[in-house]
Structures are given as structure tokens and as C-alpha cells.
Amino acid sequence: MRNDPLFHPGWIRFNEQRWGLSAEPLVLTPEKGDAWRLETVLYRNRQGRLVTPPRNPHLPIDFHCASERPASRNRRKRLALTRLADHLQQCEFGGSLSLSSVADDVRPFEWANMAARPRYTYHLDIASREEAIDPSARKKARKCRRLGYRCETTEDYAAVAACLAGPESRKGFDYRLDAEELARLAELMGPEHFVCFLARNAEGEAMGTRVCLFQPGGHALAWSAGMKTEAMKDGVNNLVAEEALEFFDRQGCSVFDFIGANIAPVAEMKEAWGGRLVCHYSISRRGIRQLAREAYVTARTMMKRESK
């Protein structure tokens, strides 16, 4: 079973329709035998270049190895990622490609003359979350309940979109999703893989939301979240996160991916949930500017060594 909901056909179709891309499923295996198997989904823009679609935290990768011995698994993953790097080396990029954390060995891409930039997220083991979560996160959720808030799963996509507009106006970015797009994604993926959580205050007004993608038995992704400015101090994010974790526990999901921990205030908020810090990589083709920059850094390093 694939753990990543980004393999879901409905998600792939949404990316094609919403962003005008062509999906390219890719399966790599050894020339002989079935010792390993690597699957991913690549996307091409209208110019035929590979891209990471907007609003995609990464490109999904699934790796299966016939052996559980660390030595065999490490070698076979290196071989599989080398094959992937060789395939990408033959393609034009339309930007950087954000890879799943399954691609935890970045050397094959560097050997193929690509640049790799580390990115971070938190993975929380759902089954053992009670021992991992900082009491401060629970305290904020309790405060929110005392204020009369309640959280529910919802199909009120207009209310969800209104909450997502909160951080858009405060931070100046655009989720590029409206109620109609959310409804379409929900239809494409179905309730077994797509869910919206909505927190309402004591007056019944929608104040905060979290939109998640999930694979029962696999990973749940905290895809989008937002709350209205007037609710920022009420602990709404904590209430919604707590309810989401309980929901995914019932679905048998193993890991909750908080999606992103690269900005200091965001990292501080997410680390309170006790997840494991996970690195994944964004890769890009080395252009003339980057090669010149690397040559300059190397030359300066050598000059400093010689001057000692």
C-alpha cells in the first residue's frame, strides 16, 4: 500500500485540471528481477518542462524493497534513486522539484549535476501522540473549548474558504483555492481521502479550518489551514489539530505530516506537537549562475587554505 495520498488519482486529476499540467506516472525497477521498485508521479507544464504543481508539498515517491536487511535496502534505494536521477537528467525543468522525504539520499541527484536544497517538516506518529505532544498545545485546545468553540468535519466549503482567507490577507499570499475548487477536489478524492475540519465559536460563526488529504492506514497531510484574525488568540489552531489527530487515529493513519517547518514562527508552533523533524529535498538543474557561484566559493576556500 502506498502511504502518500498524493498518489490518489483524484489528486492527480485535480492537478491536471486546475493547473493545466500533464501527469506522468513513472515506475522504475531493476533490469532483471524484482529486488526493488520505485514509483512516482511527475508533472509537465504546457512547454513540456517538469514542475512541482502549485499547492503540492512534494512529488510523491514510493519505494519497495524485497529485503529488510539495512545493507541491501540502502544499496537498492541508492540504485533506485540513481535511476530516477538519470531520468530527470534527461528532462527540462520548469522550476525546482520538491521530492518526498522517501528520497532521503540526495547523492544520486548531486552526482547527476543537480543542486539540492533541504526543506523541513514534522512527522507525528499518531498512535503514540499522547506521549509526544507538549502540554502547552493541549492547554490551548482546552482554552478554546472553554470559550465555547466546537470543531466538526464539514462540507461547507464557503465557510472553509472564508477561514483560509484569513492568513492570505495577513501574510499576503494566495492559496489559489475558492469554495468551488475545494468542492471539486472533494468530489475527485472522496471522503475516504479528503476532509475539512471547521471550528465554530459559541455564536456558530466559522473561525478556523484545516483541510487535509489522507490515506487510510498511511499518511495524513495538513494541506491547508487558516483562521480569522479575531480568533488568533483563542487557540483555534490547537483545537482543530487535536480534533484532526483523533479523526485520523480512527482512520488508522500512521503519520500526520504538518507540511512545512521552514519559517521560524511556523516551526515553533508545529514543534509543540512532538513530531519528528524530517528533511526532504528540492532539486534543480545547475545553471551557469549556480556553477559560477560554486566555482567562486571553491576558489575562495582554496585561497584561504593556501594563505594559512
Side-chain angles (χ1 to χ4, degrees), residues 3 11 19 33 51 55 70 94 103 110 141 166 170 190 199 201 204 244 246 249 254 268 270 280 284 286 308:
N3 286 327
W11 176 255
W19 314 117
V51 297
R55 306 291 293 111
E110 293 179 325
R170 290 193 301 271
N201 62 16
E246 292 181 9
D249 193 8
S254 56
E268 183 179 355
K270 293 181 178 180
H280 66 105
S284 57
R286 281 194 169 97
K308 290 182 179 179

Side-chain angles (χ1 to χ4, degrees), residues 35-98:
W36 57 265
R37 178 184 178 91
L38 185 147
E39 296 183 57
T40 187
V41 181
L42 305 176
Y43 293 89
R44 294 184 185 271
N45 62 17
R46 290 186 176 90
Q47 291 73 43
R49 299 187 179 97
L50 294 182
V51 297
T52 302
R55 306 291 293 111
N56 278 240
H58 56 259
L59 299 175
I61 296 176
D62 183 72
F63 174 72
H64 173 75
C65 181
S67 173
E68 292 300 322
R69 291 199 305 270
S72 297
R73 186 175 180 83
N74 290 343
R75 179 175 61 84
R76 292 172 185 178
K77 179 178 270 194
R78 174 178 54 79
L79 293 173
L81 291 174
T82 297
R83 285 279 303 280
L84 177 59
D86 290 343
H87 178 86
L88 296 180
Q89 194 177 35
Q90 301 171 32
C91 305
E92 279 192 74
F93 286 19
S96 61
L97 303 181
S98 181

Side-chain angles (χ1 to χ4, degrees), residues 157-234:
Y157 301 118
V160 170
C163 292
L164 292 177
E168 288 179 331
S169 61
R170 290 193 301 271
K171 300 178 182 179
F173 65 85
D174 187 357
Y175 275 124
R176 301 170 73 178
L177 290 167
D178 56 22
E180 183 179 346
E181 295 293 342
L182 289 167
R184 188 152 60 92
L185 179 55
E187 181 180 359
L188 287 168
M189 296 191 73
E192 300 84 7
H193 301 278
F194 176 88
V195 63
C196 295
F197 301 93
L198 189 68
R200 297 184 183 274
N201 62 16
E203 289 72 38
E205 300 169 311
M207 303 303 287
T209 191
R210 191 178 289 271
V211 184
C212 296
L213 317 175
F214 67 100
Q215 174 63 46
H219 289 197
L221 308 185
W223 182 52
S224 300
M227 63 177 167
K228 295 181 179 178
T229 302
E230 55 267 36
M232 288 184 64
K233 296 181 179 180
D234 293 345

